[in-house]
């Protein structure tokens, strides 16, 4: 087996080798971003080659070594090789899932998106028409946001982190950035700042965000800054643990003997329903007090966070905490309400959501409505978990049940149902882990659909049973012995 399975894979391999060794006709190692790009392309091509190798057209079909099957539940067709350790599954909508158990899984969707996981969850790669993301957790994080045209014009958002020391990239309309932590460097659009420049961190750092600039020495102990934000001019001075002060058009805060003593004044934006001025003080952890000058709001804490209570006469909001987190109530009339008697029971209610917990963290129930759909859940962690979703006011069209480690079941919106026994994944939503690990460990896999098709597989498909849409069924033993079991026209 010497050839890749398609011209696309052959072309990808040639492109990889070309990019690996030559840039503009010569060998190049000039910039970390260039080296990282070559490494990403090399890895992507390697994954494509590995995942596609088993489908070589030159390898004949022969039982478990290579076989193909169509008319499976959901209208899927499959190619399998090496006892099913390599599987390529194609769906009617054009989606293609390729699995190399227990190492990797890849899904290509009709919207030209590809998602690949290697030894999930550690290595993942996602490619869409306007985004590329590669993660080798916890060391490598690489993201490019932008169309191919934007990338060629250097108008894309490119970020690479080789944790925890090296970061580099490019922001649209800005210069490239490079940081070698903790020695020196610049970060752009990170950590809630437009730009962060540092040297011998934490000795010196400078940040800039819109109209705000600040300087830090021996971060976080000493800092000063000034600028203008949406509320107007703002200044800040800090020399911890002795003193800290911040002043803006609507806020003034002071801290002495940090973190012990705090006081300040805050005025809500003029013209808003909450417009008012509040003054407050806090001595950690003994307690504190905040109240508005018009008397409409007051908040008190004692031995924070154990005891807190507040009332707002304007909107009726009230909060009570007694030996937090054991008991807490929060009422916002017309908006939401919640009550805790932790860990026995707790609830939350709003116009779009109702949720409860009991015997925390074991029992959870909830309903949430969003964008015309209703999402429901009922968990007794981890032995019984179920969730469903559907159009508001209608029966669910997507249902999942998981009784770890016994079994899992899912019914997709199109009516395809899949069941796995036992189930080694104790939570929902980890598709790559289910494909690479759970399917391999399952003793029984079952699937069926609304058209009457059904499939049953035992480990390595040594025993399998199939039923087609016409009702004809057959049993296959040891990959080669097929026994009709009735049905059909």
């Amino acid at each position: 087996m010497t050839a890749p399975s398609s011209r696309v894979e052959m072309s990808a391999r040639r492109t990889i080798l070309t990019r690996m060794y030559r840039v503009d006709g010569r060998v190049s190692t000039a910039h970390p971003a260039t080296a990282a790009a070559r490494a990403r392309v090399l890895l992507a091509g390697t994954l494509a080659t590995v995942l596609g190798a088993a489908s070589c057209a030159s390898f004949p079909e022969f039982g478990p070594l290579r076989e193909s099957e169509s008319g499976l539940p959901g209208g899927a067709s499959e190619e399998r090789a090496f006892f099913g350790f390599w599987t390529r599954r194609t769906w009617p909508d054009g989606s293609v899932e390729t699995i190399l158990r227990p190492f990797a899984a890849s899904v290509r969707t009709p919207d030209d998106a590809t998602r690949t996981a290697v030894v999930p969850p550690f290595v993942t790669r996602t490619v869409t028409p306007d985004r590329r993301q590669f993660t080798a957790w916890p060391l490598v994080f690489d993201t490019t946001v932008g169309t191919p045209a934007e990338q060629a014009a250097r108008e894309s958002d490119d970020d690479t982190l080789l944790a925890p020391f090296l970061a580099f990239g490019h922001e649209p309309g800005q210069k490239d950035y490079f940081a070698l932590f903790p020695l020196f460097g610049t970060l752009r659009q990170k950590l809630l700042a437009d730009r962060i420049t540092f040297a011998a961190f934490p000795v010196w750092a400078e940040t800039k965000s819109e109209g705000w600039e600040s300087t830090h020495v021996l971060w976080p102990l000493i800092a000063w800054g000034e600028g203008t934000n949406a509320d107007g001019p703002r200044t800040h001075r800090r020399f911890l643990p002795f003193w800290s002060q911040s002043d803006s058009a609507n806020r003034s805060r002071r801290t002495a003997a940090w973190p012990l003593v705090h006081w300040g004044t805050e005025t809500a934006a003029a013209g808003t329903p909450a417009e008012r001025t509040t003054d407050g003080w806090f001595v950690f952890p003994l307690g504190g007090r905040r109240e508005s000058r018009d008397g409409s709001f007051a908040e008190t804490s004692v031995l924070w966070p154990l005891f807190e209570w507040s009332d707002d006469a304007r909107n009726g909001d009230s909060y009570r905490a007694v030996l937090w987190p054991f008991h807490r109530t929060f009422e916002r009339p017309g908006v939401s309400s919640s009550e805790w008697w932790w860990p026995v029971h707790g609830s939350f209610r709003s116009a779009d959501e109702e949720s409860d917990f009991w015997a925390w963290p074991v029992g959870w129930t909830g309903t949430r409505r969003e964008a015309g759909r209703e999402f429901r859940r009922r968990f007794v962690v981890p032995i019984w978990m179920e969730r469903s979703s559907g159009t508001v006011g209608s029966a669910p069209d997507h249902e999942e049940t998981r009784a770890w480690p016994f079994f899992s079941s899912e019914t997709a919106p199109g009516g395809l149902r899949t069941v796995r026994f036992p189930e080694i994944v104790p939570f929902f939503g980890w598709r790559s882990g289910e494909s690479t690990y759970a399917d391999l460990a399952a003793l029984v896999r079952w699937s069926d659909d609304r058209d009457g098709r059904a499939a049953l597989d035992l480990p390595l498909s040594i025993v399998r049973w199939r039923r087609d849409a016409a009702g004809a069924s057959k049993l296959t033993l040891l990959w080669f012995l097929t026994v009709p079991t009735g049905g059909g026209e």
Side-chain angles (χ1 to χ4, degrees), residues 101-125:
R101 299 181 178 94
F103 305 109
S106 178
V107 176
R108 186 178 74 245
T109 57
D111 57 359
D112 199 25
T114 301
R115 296 172 178 83
T116 303
V118 180
V119 194
F122 297 104
V123 180
T124 59
R125 183 174 185 264

Side-chain angles (χ1 to χ4, degrees), residues 379 385-387 400-402 409 425-430 434:
F379 294 171
M385 295 173 284
E386 60 183 57
R387 66 177 185 178
E400 294 180 83
T401 301
R402 193 165 299 246
S409 173
V425 177
F427 45 82
F428 293 116
W430 192 26
E434 293 176 6

Side-chain angles (χ1 to χ4, degrees), residues 363-433:
W364 302 83
T365 60
T367 302
R368 175 174 56 88
R369 289 164 291 278
E370 181 179 345
R373 289 185 64 83
E374 189 169 73
F375 302 85
R376 308 176 186 90
R377 66 177 182 179
R378 182 180 294 112
F379 294 171
V380 182
V381 180
I383 58 174
W384 186 267
M385 295 173 284
E386 60 183 57
R387 66 177 185 178
S388 62
S389 64
T391 303
V392 174
S394 302
D397 55 30
H398 186 195
E399 299 178 281
E400 294 180 83
T401 301
R402 193 165 299 246
W404 183 84
F406 305 108
F407 77 94
S408 67
S409 173
E410 178 181 5
T411 302
L416 174 65
R417 180 177 60 174
T418 57
V419 179
R420 186 186 299 113
F421 167 83
E423 176 56 76
I424 65 171
V425 177
F427 45 82
F428 293 116
W430 192 26
R431 296 299 185 187
S432 58

Side-chain angles (χ1 to χ4, degrees), residues 85 90 128 146 170 241 383:
F85 281 89
T90 303
T128 70
H170 171 80
I383 58 174

Side-chain angles (χ1 to χ4, degrees), residues 89-168:
R89 185 178 297 119
T90 303
W91 298 95
D93 66 356
S95 300
V96 179
E97 181 180 14
T98 306
I99 309 159
L100 181 62
R101 299 181 178 94
F103 305 109
S106 178
V107 176
R108 186 178 74 245
T109 57
D111 57 359
D112 199 25
T114 301
R115 296 172 178 83
T116 303
V118 180
V119 194
F122 297 104
V123 180
T124 59
R125 183 174 185 264
T126 300
V127 179
T128 70
D130 59 0
R131 183 181 183 89
R132 294 183 304 166
Q133 185 170 1
F134 173 80
T135 300
W137 192 88
L139 300 177
V140 182
F141 304 86
D142 180 82
T143 303
T144 295
V145 180
T147 64
E150 290 173 329
Q151 296 175 33
R154 292 189 58 76
E155 296 176 353
S156 58
D157 184 351
D158 307 318
D159 299 289
T160 300
L161 171 64
L162 306 180
F165 304 111
L166 184 63
F168 51 88

